[in-house]
Amino acid sequence: DAGVIQSPRHEVTEMGQEVTLRCKPISGHNSLFWYRQTMMRGLELLIYFNNNVPIDDSGMPEDRFSAKMPNASFSTLKIQPSEPRDSAVYFCASSSIIRAHRSYEQYFGPGTRLTVT
Amino acid sequence: GQNIDQPTEMTATEGAIVQINCTYQTSGFNGLFWYQQHAGEAPTFLSYNVLDGLEEKGRFSSFLSRSKGYSYLLLKELQMKDSASYLCAVREGTSGTYKYIFGTGTRLKVLA
């Protein structure tokens, strides 16, 4: 398996622009997580989905952030409009909620390094 | 409230043993995780504890005391490649409605 795939790996954009981050989870996994990591705040869970349904979005900073999971193999995280304080590394992770499949283990993608100028 | 504390930095010598502590305050505890993260890379899973006691996996062991809200990660026979950040994370809630909270990580530097 190719693991969790994220694109783009790097994104540089100007303040006010829309940014879309993409994630393809591991095939067969039915939980998907979006995280943001900064030096100051560490790794923060933004939102996660079970079976394509958002379960907890309490970590989404504000209305400028939105996430979708239209099917089991694709998710997007959108920031509109972007601001310099959104600069961070955004990770997507997936796991299986089936106990027999080590449901406690999350597999992280390589991340997208976002810079908003 | 939710709170996870771990030391910011630690230094140890190649071949030695190091223990990284993690304390947490949470409600509805449902598991504690340790992840390793090398600089510029994604976190990778190391261990999972949901019951009290020690889980051993090769050179790495993880311990949990739920009554004390305490865990540690023990790394034996340290190697240079163990230089990384180690993230402690807690899961709350029940299956289907979990919340995951990560600590800010402990940066471990292994010296020759």
Side-chain angles (χ1 to χ4, degrees):
Chain A
D1 198 313
V4 176
I5 299 172
Q6 289 187 248
S7 64
R9 294 293 306 276
H10 301 273
E11 176 83 26
V12 180
T13 192
E14 292 183 346
M15 186 173 76
Q17 296 298 306
E18 177 180 295
V19 174
T20 299
L21 311 181
R22 297 172 176 80
C23 175
K24 177 177 167 50
I26 291 173
S27 177
H29 281 187
N30 44 14
S31 288
L32 184 140
F33 306 80
W34 282 103
Y35 291 90
R36 176 173 69 176
Q37 188 173 40
T38 61
M39 287 293 290
M40 291 297 295
R41 300 174 67 92
L43 195 65
E44 302 172 280
L45 177 64
L46 301 177
I47 185 171
Y48 82 94
F49 298 83
N50 278 352
N51 296 317
N52 313 339
V53 176
I55 301 299
D56 181 9
D57 64 354
S58 59
M60 296 286 262
E62 47 199 273
D63 291 346
R64 297 184 298 106
F65 286 68
S66 63
K68 292 182 180 178
M69 191 163 186
N71 57 61
S73 58
F74 183 66
S75 177
T76 58
L77 178 69
K78 188 175 291 187
I79 308 172
Q80 166 63 19
S82 58
E83 297 182 4
R85 61 190 166 124
D86 301 330
S87 297
V89 180
Y90 290 81
F91 288 104
C92 175
S94 72
S95 70
S96 169
I97 60 173
I98 299 172
R99 244 181 222 286
H101 296 172
R102 292 171 50 154
S103 61
Y104 45 80
E105 187 167 343
Q106 294 184 30
Y107 295 80
F108 282 75
T112 295
R113 183 173 295 278
L114 174 65
T115 304
V116 183
T117 60
Chain B
Q2 303 155 349
N3 194 33
I4 296 179
D5 289 312
Q6 48 181 134
T8 305
E9 279 189 4
M10 297 183 72
T11 303
T13 306
E14 197 175 13
I17 299 173
V18 72
Q19 178 175 310
I20 303 174
N21 296 323
C22 171
T23 58
Y24 63 90
Q25 293 174 311
T26 187
S27 55
F29 176 84
N30 200 321
L32 187 137
F33 304 80
W34 285 95
Y35 281 81
Q36 181 191 58
Q37 186 177 24
H38 285 99
E41 297 183 10
T44 55
F45 171 82
L46 285 179
S47 69
Y48 166 68
N49 296 69
V50 68
L51 300 176
D52 291 350
L54 190 68
E55 293 281 341
E56 296 186 81
K57 194 192 290 186
R59 294 188 299 114
F60 293 4
S61 304
S62 57
F63 172 83
L64 175 67
S65 168
R66 287 171 297 171
S67 62
K68 294 180 179 169
Y70 168 68
S71 172
Y72 68 72
L73 179 69
L74 193 71
L75 293 78
K76 302 176 188 174
E77 301 168 18
L78 279 173
Q79 301 175 9
M80 299 297 287
K81 67 177 181 178
D82 297 329
S83 293
S85 285
Y86 291 86
L87 309 176
C88 173
V90 168
R91 183 172 68 182
E92 296 184 330
T94 56
S95 180
T97 61
Y98 290 134
K99 285 182 87 76
Y100 293 83
I101 306 105
F102 279 76
T104 52
T106 298
R107 195 160 55 248
L108 174 66
K109 199 178 295 184
V110 179
L111 305 177

